[in-house]
Amino acid sequence: MLTVDFSRFPLAPGDRVLDLGCGAGRHAFECYRRGAQVVALDQNGEEIREVAKWFAAMKEAGEAPAGATATAMEGDALALPFPDESFDVVIISEVMEHIPDDKGVLAEMVRVLRPGGRIAITVPRYGPEKVCWALSDAYHEVEGGHIRIYKADELLAKIREAGLKPYGTHHAHALHSPYWWLKCAFGVDNDKALPVKAYHKLLVWDIMKKPLATRVAEQALNPLIGKSFVAYATKPHLPSVDAR
């Protein structure tokens, strides 16, 4: 289940990609399949080991084209272990809402992104997220949980302040908002509640089968209750210096 829309965020074979805070690796895997040179980085060592296993399995199965590479590594988003301008593309999906120093993370991403490079940032959307917080303290008051809710204008302002130029936004995963509202209403850790179980089955069916009806429904509902807000931006080239 991808949050970044690669039709709006073009990726070319050979692009150097950093998936920052990669989690289980869903965007890193897609970039690898598209022929990129991928680095998946996360502070969670257990998840990174799993991502590395999947990269190896994908290579063995021939899922990635020739020339594609994939590396999984532990690291700190506030002190990235890469030289300046190391990447053509940076993706950070559902991460910034967890980090107190979000401006520091943006600064690090800008540092390692080459001029002309592209960045995709996704965060929980303000409206659906506010409902979750209102329904359940346990949803966000956990170690490593969500510490803020972004308004779209606030996030875009921080992106511009970091020196990036936004070029597009959209919302995603409308069908997932009701699921999380149900989880919050019946208990975040209560997977046995009948409405939660039934809706989860619907989501699994949708992800596996991708039926036209739910695809159309989600596209129609995304502007209203999309769970995620997605922003795309570029790092401008520095103005040329006249040597005369």
Side-chain angles (χ1 to χ4, degrees):
M1 184 189 73
L2 299 174
T3 308
V4 172
D5 181 351
F6 286 94
S7 69
R8 309 182 198 215
F9 189 67
L11 193 68
D15 274 351
R16 299 163 296 168
V17 177
L18 172 63
D19 185 2
L20 180 56
C22 64
R26 57 202 173 101
H27 288 106
F29 300 148
E30 181 64 20
C31 293
Y32 189 32
R33 291 188 187 98
R34 289 171 178 260
Q37 298 175 8
V38 184
V39 175
L41 183 143
D42 202 285
Q43 67 177 3
N44 186 317
E46 184 176 341
E47 286 197 309
I48 283 298
R49 286 186 287 275
E50 285 299 311
V51 170
K53 290 178 184 178
W54 278 105
F55 278 151
M58 290 172 67
K59 182 178 181 180
E60 182 71 21
E63 290 190 36
T69 62
T71 303
M73 61 185 295
E74 288 186 61
D76 182 353
L78 290 166
L80 295 174
F82 310 111
D84 296 356
E85 302 179 10
S86 297
F87 295 96
D88 303 298
V89 172
V90 177
I91 296 170
I92 184 166
S93 183
E94 311 299 303
V95 173
M96 288 180 57
E97 67 276 8
H98 297 272
I99 301 177
D101 186 8
D102 57 349
K103 290 185 178 181
V105 173
L106 276 167
E108 273 293 87
M109 290 190 289
V110 171
R111 180 184 68 79
V112 302
L113 185 65
R114 67 164 177 82
R118 304 172 305 284
I119 188 166
I121 299 173
T122 90
V123 296
R125 184 184 185 177
Y126 183 82
E129 186 76 348
K130 285 286 284 186
V131 174
C132 288
W133 283 44
L135 289 171
S136 171
D137 290 337
Y139 171 79
H140 62 97
E141 291 182 357
V142 295
E143 183 178 355
H146 298 183
I147 62 170
R148 71 173 64 83
I149 306 176
Y150 287 101
K151 291 184 177 179
D153 289 347
E154 174 194 358
L155 180 60
L156 291 171
K158 289 187 176 184
I159 290 171
R160 292 188 182 98
E161 184 181 345
L164 297 166
K165 184 178 180 180
Y167 70 84
T169 65
H170 64 89
H171 301 99
H173 310 318
L175 296 182
H176 288 249
S177 289
Y179 172 71
W180 282 103
W181 296 339
L182 288 170
K183 288 271 287 181
C184 290
F186 286 93
V188 174
D189 297 320
N190 180 13
D191 294 326
K192 295 182 179 180
L194 183 58
V196 175
K197 289 175 64 177
Y199 203 98
H200 184 263
K201 287 183 179 180
L202 170 66
L203 291 179
V204 171
W205 173 75
D206 174 57
I207 291 170
M208 298 300 295
K209 300 297 185 180
K210 297 181 174 63
L212 179 60
T214 55
R215 296 301 86 216
V216 170
E218 183 153 83
Q219 287 181 5
L221 290 171
N222 274 337
L224 301 173
I225 60 168
K227 183 73 168 67
S228 295
F229 174 71
V230 188
Y232 305 109
T234 58
K235 180 178 177 178
H237 289 276
L238 294 174
S240 59
V241 177
D242 192 337
R244 290 178 297 175

